[in-house]
Amino acid sequence: MEKQAITILQLYPKDMNIYGDNGNLQVITKRLKWYGYTPVVIEYNVGDTLPKKVDIVIGGGGQDSGQEKIHADLLKIGPQLQKWADQGVPMLMVCGLYQLFGHFFKTLAGKKLQGVGILDIETFGTNERLIGNIITQSAEFGDIIGYENHSGQTHLGANTLPLATVVKGAGNNSADGNEGARYKNVIGTYLHGSILPKNPQLADFLIRTAVEKKHGEFSPDLIDDLFADMAREIARNRPR
Ligand code: GLN
């Protein structure tokens, strides 16, 4: 039987891919294979052409300079990303791209980088760097554990739900105890680490949503996540 394909679009891996974010792609492709699907990976960098159809979209973090580099191109593809988001395509955006999925990121130097506005969030560069291991808790996904390093601080619009509540660390900003944001199946988060190897429940959310949308049903054999569980335990007990 021919295996069913799932296409993963990775946004700007050349410029937006720090603190191990590429591990997210590895987890998604590996788990798809374990579940019996064929992952098809498309890298999208500045100037490339978007594919017509995608099943999962992921993007990582980067320095402010990396964000400035991709910014104009991102605005060009913004309307298509918004269409996919509206249609329920699952997406995971980490840190730098999380910020640019919002309305804007105003750098400390005063430059206002307009975002694609898929997430109802605003981000302001600050003098304070929020850095270290982070533990958060989410009703839908349980504990989400990772590592953050950002000086941008993000604030959610009135009707936007965070991804999680911070247990240890900072998250969106140093004040309100929220982490990440959600729009339909789009997840924005500050968590690197990378996030998916230690949080397979999030990887499976992206996979299940994509497979059900494309192939109608997702009922694979369970994966033994012993090593992921061990990594979670170690990460959970690390000092901030
Ligand atoms: N440059 C952004 C900030 O520091 C994003 C950093 C990141 O992606 N880790 O806020």
Side-chain angles (χ1 to χ4, degrees), residues 3-183:
K3 287 191 178 164
Q4 294 169 315
I6 289 291
T7 301
I8 305 135
L9 177 71
Q10 187 185 27
L11 293 179
Y12 307 109
K14 279 190 192 158
D15 296 298
M16 302 298 289
N17 183 10
I18 51 173
Y19 311 124
D21 286 341
N22 195 52
N24 295 330
L25 179 66
Q26 292 179 27
V27 168
I28 294 171
T29 54
K30 198 80 188 171
R31 290 181 86 82
L32 276 169
K33 282 185 198 161
W34 285 338
Y35 286 137
Y37 295 87
T38 303
V40 178
V41 176
I42 298 176
E43 291 190 1
Y44 178 89
N45 287 295
V46 171
D48 288 349
T49 305
L50 277 181
K52 294 255 175 314
K53 286 186 180 163
V54 297
D55 301 309
I56 298 175
V57 185
I58 60 170
Q63 315 294 345
D64 290 12
S65 56
Q67 290 171 291
E68 287 183 29
K69 241 164 122 180
I70 62 141
H71 171 248
D73 191 274
L74 178 67
L75 290 185
K76 263 193 248 160
I77 64 169
Q80 181 59 60
L81 294 173
Q82 177 78 61
K83 244 183 237 164
W84 285 330
D86 291 343
Q87 289 165 2
V89 171
M91 307 191 186
L92 175 70
M93 295 299 137
V94 177
C95 205
L97 273 169
Y98 167 42
Q99 295 172 342
L100 291 180
F101 259 52
H103 298 302
F104 63 81
F105 169 38
K106 191 166 179 200
T107 68
L108 195 55
K111 217 175 193 179
K112 195 168 176 180
L113 299 180
Q114 195 197 326
V116 291
I118 292 171
L119 295 169
D120 183 15
I121 59 168
E122 298 177 344
T123 303
F124 300 83
T126 70
N127 278 315
E128 189 185 3
R129 187 154 278 277
L130 305 173
I131 178 166
N133 294 302
I134 169 168
I135 302 175
T136 71
Q137 214 162 52
S138 136
E140 187 174 355
F141 301 111
D143 288 358
I144 307 173
I145 302 172
Y147 168 81
E148 62 182 322
N149 186 353
H150 53 108
S151 53
Q153 299 208 17
T154 295
H155 301 273
L156 306 180
N159 296 319
T160 294
L161 289 176
L163 171 66
T165 305
V166 176
V167 177
K168 183 171 92 177
N172 282 338
N173 54 64
S174 51
D176 65 20
N178 287 327
E179 204 300 298
R182 182 78 184 265
Y183 168 71

